[in-house]
Amino acid sequence: MHIRLPLWSREQITSHIRHSVLLYFGIACAVVLSLLAIGQLSQILQQVASGQLPLRVVLQLLGLSVPTLLVTVLPLALFFAVYLVFANLYRHNEMMAIHGAGIGLQKLLLGLLPSVLVLVLLEAGLALWWAPASQQHLQDESARLAAAAAQALIQPGSFAHLPDGRVIYVGQEAGNKDRYQEIFIDLSHVGAPDYATAAYGKVQIDKKAGVSLLLIDGQRYLGQPGQPGYKIWSFARYRVDLAAPQQSAAGGQSWSAMPLVQLFAELARPNTHMHAMAELEWRFFWPLFLPVIVLLAIPLAYAEPRHPGRAGGILVGILLLLGANNLLVALKENLIQGKIAPVPGLFWTWILLAVLAGYLFYRRQADLPLLPAWLRGVLP
């Protein structure tokens, strides 16, 4: 988009730039979200192909994953939007005219603040409330559907393959619902053969949608008959998971799906304090990261007027954002394990990137090269 600025006042110029940033932001959101959604869709389709989920729920589960994806999409989209708008201003000499009118980068940044504040509030709503609630709904629905699919595989009088490759056979129903007779199940995964038979079996569903088969009065055969180590065990009760319940944290919920109030409650428990602190810092990091994104994108967008190349700055920005994300993940793992202090904890990433962005913005505002003279002499 080629931005042409007529003889406008400062308010008109900042308003025009703000609207351009929001337009690019919307386009970038759609593009980045689509790319990430493709990856999420492939994971869901893999579960459909393995028989864990029915095809009819693909769009529903994909929709439930969108809020979680948006938490990382919004910072990326904002970086691309600010970068592209200011890069166009530099390349087509509009920025020179703006500076000639006495409007510096600092005033343009202040003009963007209202829009950035709105996006910060939106990101806070996503990271703190909407994404965790949606994640919990997604996990519950996925577990319920996987349990239903596993239960549907049990057909009296026929062999069936479970999603993990095991083979199961159940005989006729034994009177009560979900109770069968003449059970055979292959428990082998890798290694020696492992089989179990039982006179009866009963399907059980726990509160987290895990499905299991309770074997009653049976035997388990481990190893190859006639070979050393072959064993036969008799049992009165033996439970076999058909669709395991979802992995949970404190209180039976995953940390990423835990409500904010419950996370604060977990801070008071010594055994969950560090994990709750890491999750809280992770959620608060993203909305506070957006102003740093804007501060970083503006100086990186600088390009010589009419210069054909403008990929250098955006590549540097992408590498910085990828590095920040990797550092954030590493700090979170170390915080959970108690290897680093909770303060600043994950916010080391914010501090480092904020200092770098502030330094680059200062040099661009002062019309100085982004790199100091001694560093330009070292680098080729």
Side-chain angles (χ1 to χ4, degrees):
M1 179 182 295
H2 186 177
I3 302 175
R4 296 188 178 276
L5 301 179
L7 297 177
W8 287 349
S9 65
R10 171 186 148 188
E11 290 74 18
Q12 289 176 310
I13 292 174
T14 54
S15 175
H16 186 81
I17 293 176
R18 183 166 58 247
H19 291 160
S20 299
V21 167
L22 292 177
L23 175 61
Y24 274 108
F25 175 76
I27 296 173
C29 270
V31 173
V32 178
L33 181 60
S34 299
L35 294 175
L36 295 181
I38 291 173
Q40 186 71 21
L41 179 61
S42 66
Q43 296 179 15
I44 297 175
L45 290 178
Q46 287 178 2
Q47 293 179 289
V48 172
S50 64
Q52 299 179 48
L53 296 174
L55 182 61
R56 57 183 171 80
V57 300
V58 170
L59 292 181
Q60 177 188 357
L61 298 183
L62 184 62
L64 289 173
S65 66
V66 167
T68 303
L69 296 177
L70 282 174
V71 173
T72 52
V73 166
L74 261 60
L76 284 173
L78 183 59
F79 173 80
F80 289 136
V82 175
Y83 180 93
L84 291 174
V85 169
F86 278 80
N88 281 334
L89 291 175
Y90 278 116
R91 290 180 66 245
H92 299 292
N93 285 325
E94 282 89 351
M95 188 61 75
M96 184 181 299
I98 292 173
H99 287 332
I103 304 174
L105 289 180
Q106 187 174 0
K107 293 179 180 179
L108 296 179
L109 178 63
L110 292 175
L112 287 176
L113 281 183
S115 299
V116 174
L117 179 59
V118 172
L119 294 178
V120 166
L121 295 177
L122 176 60
E123 179 77 1
L126 279 169
L128 299 179
W129 293 285
W130 189 13
S134 180
Q135 184 74 9
Q136 182 62 55
H137 191 183
L138 175 64
Q139 292 176 0
D140 290 344
E141 191 67 12
S142 297
R144 184 188 67 80
L145 292 169
Q151 190 176 11
L153 289 173
I154 301 177
Q155 298 294 331
S158 63
F159 286 88
H161 288 269
L162 297 177
D164 59 3
R166 293 177 297 172
V167 177
I168 185 173
Y169 172 86
V170 298
Q172 300 302 314
E173 293 185 354
N176 296 332
K177 182 181 179 181
D178 295 332
R179 184 181 175 94
Y180 306 91
Q181 59 186 2
E182 299 177 352
I183 308 299
F184 167 85
I185 184 168
D186 178 9
L187 302 174
S188 305
H189 289 286
V190 177
D194 186 357
Y195 308 100
T197 61
Y200 297 97
K202 184 177 181 180
V203 176
Q204 297 179 327
I205 303 178
D206 67 15
K207 63 179 182 179
K208 281 298 175 182
V211 177
S212 62
L213 181 64
L214 179 63
L215 304 180
I216 303 172
D217 296 333
Q219 292 180 314
R220 186 175 177 184
Y221 306 88
L222 290 91
Q224 190 72 30
Q227 299 295 325
Y230 179 67
K231 298 178 182 179
I232 301 177
W233 292 345
S234 297
F235 56 82
R237 299 286 190 276
Y238 185 75
R239 187 173 67 87
V240 178
D241 289 330
L242 302 182
Q246 64 186 51
Q247 296 295 321
S248 61
Q253 287 183 301
S254 66
W255 290 103
S256 61
M258 190 173 292
L260 193 62
V261 174
Q262 188 175 347
L263 271 178
F264 279 111
E266 295 297 333
L267 288 175
R269 301 179 182 179
N271 59 326
T272 60
H273 174 80
M274 298 305 290
H275 212 144
M277 178 63 72
E279 183 63 29
L280 282 171
E281 290 189 8
W282 176 272
R283 296 186 189 182
F284 279 101
F285 173 87
W286 293 106
L288 297 176
F289 192 42
L290 294 189
V292 179
I293 290 287
V294 176
L295 199 63
L296 178 67
I298 292 176
L300 290 180
Y302 174 77
E304 293 292 337
R306 307 299 177 184
H307 193 278
R310 60 175 178 176
I314 201 166
L315 288 177
V316 171
I318 291 174
L319 290 176
L320 286 174
L321 294 180
L322 288 176
N325 183 73
N326 292 337
L327 178 60
L328 190 65
V329 172
L331 289 174
K332 185 178 182 182
E333 292 298 324
N334 281 275
L335 180 56
I336 291 172
Q337 298 171 15
K339 295 181 180 179
I340 61 173
V343 179
L346 272 62
F347 285 95
W348 275 118
T349 306
W350 189 94
I351 293 171
L352 292 175
L353 212 57
V355 169
L356 176 62
Y359 173 77
L360 295 178
F361 185 86
Y362 163 75
R363 293 189 67 86
R364 188 69 265 147
Q365 166 73 13
D367 202 21
L368 298 172
L370 295 184
L371 297 178
W374 65 269
L375 189 55
R376 294 200 306 274
V378 172
L379 296 177

